[in-house]
Amino acid sequence: MITNDTIVALSTPPGIGAIGVIRLSGNEAISITNSVFSGKDLLKQKSHTIHFGLIKDGEQVIDEVLVSLFIAPKSYTKENVVEISCHGSNYIIQQIISLLIRKGASAAKPGEYTLRAFLNGGLDLSQAEAVADLISSDSAAAHQVAMNQLRGGFSSELNLLREQLIHFASMIELELDFAEEDVEFANRDQLQELINKITLVLNQLIRSFELGNVIKQGINTVIAGRPNAGKSTLLNALLNEERAIVSEIAGTTRDTIEELLNINGINFRLIDTAGIREATDTIEAIGVEKTMQKINQSALLVYVFDVVNLTVQEIREDIAKLYRPGMAFIAVANKIDLSYNNKLKELQLPSDIQFISISAKQNQQIEELKELLYSTAVGDQLSDNHTMVTNIRHVEALRRTQTALESVGNGLTNPVTSDFLSMDIKQALYYLGEITGQVTTDDLLENIFSKFCIGK
């Protein structure tokens, strides 16, 4: 898949800015740059040095630049890498890239620098994918998860499991060599213990995907309730701005309103919805239908009810309509500034529903609600030593590994010959290897790295 070409691309975002950084990687990166550079002889300079000079096309000066040298293997791609920092004019950048291509460089494909880093052993595949996640991270939590994966936290955990499985696979292979003597080199009880241990880790990693994915994408948080419950007022209070129209007229919100709220480094995608009731016209009916769709797609549901005007029975009916076992659900009693009575004691909510009383209009308990949103959605799962899966490709490979290990376990419970055990263990090793790149195909790599931006 990899070629000996020297590649070139703009590594900073396109558009006018103070500077642009043009990156070359490959055996000829330094010599090609040296052929258009007027200053020191770059071929005689040390790695990790920066040099001032001119980029010239013949006698025509294109720009004054700084050239950074990274000599193989001490570079991101493990090849010779040159970064040219020029002025951020689109015209200047295109002139320099065109000149370098005429001198022998090839235009880089999306993700080709990181692909070369992977193929040359600088990163494993899960770390390479973390580079894309790091670039696109838009919150402290997404950044933390991507950095943990980039530093090899996920890979280290998987490699430890693989090493232990490989040990048993080799022992079973040895048994096959001595099949006629009917000996066992692999202790079946120890293998079963290892299968149980790995299965436990796999279950934790697979469960972490639900949280990891919402951290990466932002947590879809739907604010639902009856008309005039104070949903829009609550949205405005959480955002600390007048984002939604607030009116005493029931059914004011006809469509969903989406806004971003960051709590402790986590992005919550707040969705204010149309009130749940029997619609009085076609437009409102569409709004109510959209509300139910958003609720079904939510990672966290905030049910807001009017503590003054709703009966306990009406609140129970609403919760029964909205609640699904296992969903993250917060019941919010609003308008406590107007009235507070004993009806709340009669609610008897399911144990997995969180509850808080607020006044959205008077900003009472709003900060406490934010903390409840965070603790309900995240809890203590986000920590430096907590490995989290955010990639759908990884979680599917983990599930296939789990299935293969179930076959190994069945083979131990209902004893089968060593060759069948060996086959199932190899299958589990194969799926684990797909994650870190010990097992790859060209199609898989092309699919992964095509999603990167050009220049990375």
Side-chain angles (χ1 to χ4, degrees):
M1 170 174 276
I2 197 165
T3 69
N4 292 322
D5 291 349
T6 294
I7 54 175
V8 62
L10 177 67
S11 285
T12 45
I16 297 173
I19 62 169
V21 177
I22 298 166
R23 177 189 283 169
L24 298 95
S25 181
N27 293 336
E28 305 303 320
I30 298 174
S31 59
I32 289 174
T33 306
N34 199 48
S35 68
V36 299
F37 182 70
S38 178
K40 293 181 180 179
D41 184 350
L42 299 178
L43 295 171
K44 297 179 180 179
Q45 308 309 313
K46 295 180 179 180
S47 182
H48 293 70
T49 55
I50 300 175
H51 308 281
F52 173 77
L54 304 174
I55 295 292
K56 297 174 69 174
D57 184 0
E59 293 303 314
Q60 179 188 357
V61 175
I62 297 178
D63 198 13
E64 292 182 340
V65 300
L66 291 174
V67 173
S68 305
L69 301 179
F70 306 90
I71 299 174
K74 297 179 179 180
S75 73
Y76 178 65
T77 61
K78 300 299 182 182
E79 302 173 334
N80 288 335
V81 171
V82 175
E83 291 184 352
I84 302 172
S85 299
C86 62
H87 291 94
S89 154
N90 281 327
Y91 173 78
I92 290 173
I93 290 167
Q94 290 308 314
Q95 287 291 104
I96 294 175
I97 290 176
S98 297
L99 177 59
L100 294 168
I101 289 175
R102 292 204 308 272
K103 293 295 182 178
S106 301
K109 299 174 184 176
E112 191 167 1
Y113 292 99
T114 304
L115 173 60
R116 291 188 176 205
F118 162 67
L119 293 174
N120 291 326
L123 301 169
D124 69 34
L125 196 54
S126 67
Q127 287 175 304
E129 289 170 294
V131 172
D133 289 344
L134 190 62
I135 292 170
S136 61
S137 62
D138 59 0
S139 71
H143 172 265
Q144 180 180 330
V145 170
M147 280 302 299
N148 182 46
Q149 188 168 320
L150 181 59
R151 289 172 176 170
F154 186 30
S155 304
S156 299
E157 196 158 355
L158 293 182
N159 285 332
L160 183 61
L161 300 179
R162 282 191 93 247
E163 286 173 10
Q164 295 175 75
L165 265 182
I166 287 170
H167 168 71
F168 276 99
S170 62
M171 290 296 100
I172 290 175
E173 286 292 320
L174 194 59
E175 290 178 5
L176 294 174
D177 291 338
F178 291 88
E180 294 180 1
E181 300 180 26
D182 193 26
V183 294
E184 286 189 358
F185 293 102
N187 185 299
R188 269 38 179 186
D189 290 337
Q190 291 179 358
L191 178 56
Q192 184 62 65
E193 287 179 14
L194 177 62
I195 298 303
N196 293 341
K197 176 184 173 184
I198 294 176
T199 300
L200 180 62
V201 173
L202 292 178
N203 286 337
Q204 291 171 343
L205 290 173
I206 290 168
R207 282 199 302 270
S208 77
F209 175 73
E210 185 175 343
L211 175 61
N213 194 47
V214 295
I215 286 175
K216 183 177 174 181
Q217 307 294 337
I219 298 174
N220 280 342
T221 306
V222 172
I223 303 173
R226 297 196 180 198
N228 275 354
K231 300 183 298 298
S232 297
T233 304
L234 175 57
L235 177 69
N236 291 339
L238 288 169
L239 297 172
N240 199 28
E241 63 174 285
E242 296 300 313
R243 174 61 183 87
I245 298 172
V246 177
S247 168
E248 296 298 322
I249 303 171
T252 303
T253 303
R254 297 297 187 94
D255 201 353
T256 58
I257 300 172
E258 300 191 19
E259 287 292 328
L260 206 62
L261 174 67
N262 190 288
I263 305 174
N264 299 334
I266 298 285
N267 279 339
F268 288 77
R269 300 187 181 279
L270 301 179
I271 304 168
D272 180 22
T273 59
I276 301 169
R277 68 167 183 175
E278 293 296 323
T280 57
D281 58 57
T282 303
I283 295 176
E284 188 181 359
I286 294 171
V288 173
E289 183 181 348
K290 279 190 175 182
T291 294
M292 299 310 296
Q293 289 174 354
K294 291 293 184 181
I295 289 171
N296 290 332
Q297 297 165 2
S298 66
L300 175 59
L301 179 62
V302 178
Y303 165 61
V304 183
F305 62 91
D306 183 338
V307 75
V308 179
N309 296 310
L310 249 61
T311 66
V312 169
Q313 183 59 32
E314 288 172 322
I315 297 168
R316 285 176 179 168
E317 288 173 1
D318 287 351
I319 291 176
K321 186 186 300 182
L322 301 173
Y323 174 74
R324 301 288 181 276
M327 77 185 305
F329 193 116
I330 299 176
V332 179
N334 190 27
K335 306 185 182 180
I336 60 170
D337 56 311
L338 299 180
S339 172
Y340 194 89
N341 54 50
N342 291 327
K343 71 171 68 170
L344 297 177
K345 296 179 181 178
E346 303 172 31
L347 278 178
Q348 298 179 339
L349 299 175
S351 59
D352 53 346
I353 290 182
Q354 304 297 318
F355 174 78
I356 189 172
S357 299
I358 70 164
S359 169
K361 188 174 183 179
Q362 300 298 327
N363 271 304
Q364 294 179 24
Q365 294 282 98
I366 296 302
E367 290 305 312
E368 288 77 4
L369 175 57
K370 288 180 181 179
E371 290 302 317
L372 186 58
L373 287 169
Y374 181 88
S375 63
T376 303
V378 181
D380 59 357
Q381 298 179 72
L382 189 61
S383 61
D384 291 335
N385 58 2
H386 187 85
T387 302
M388 194 169 293
V389 180
T390 61
N391 188 305
I392 186 65
R393 187 184 74 82
H394 296 171
V395 81
E396 288 303 321
L398 290 170
R399 285 172 178 149
R400 288 193 291 267
T401 305
Q402 203 174 40
T403 301
L405 289 178
E406 285 176 6
S407 298
V408 177
N410 291 335
L412 293 173
T413 305
N414 306 294
V416 297
T417 57
S418 299
D419 53 341
F420 282 105
L421 274 182
S422 176
M423 192 184 311
D424 290 330
I425 293 176
K426 285 179 179 177
Q427 198 70 41
L429 287 169
Y430 177 89
Y431 292 131
L432 284 176
E434 274 192 331
I435 297 174
T436 55
Q438 284 124 322
V439 177
T440 56
T441 65
D442 284 354
D443 288 342
L444 173 65
L445 295 181
E446 184 177 340
N447 179 58
I448 290 170
F449 289 100
S450 66
K451 297 172 184 174
F452 280 61
C453 53
I454 292 176
K456 196 60 188 174

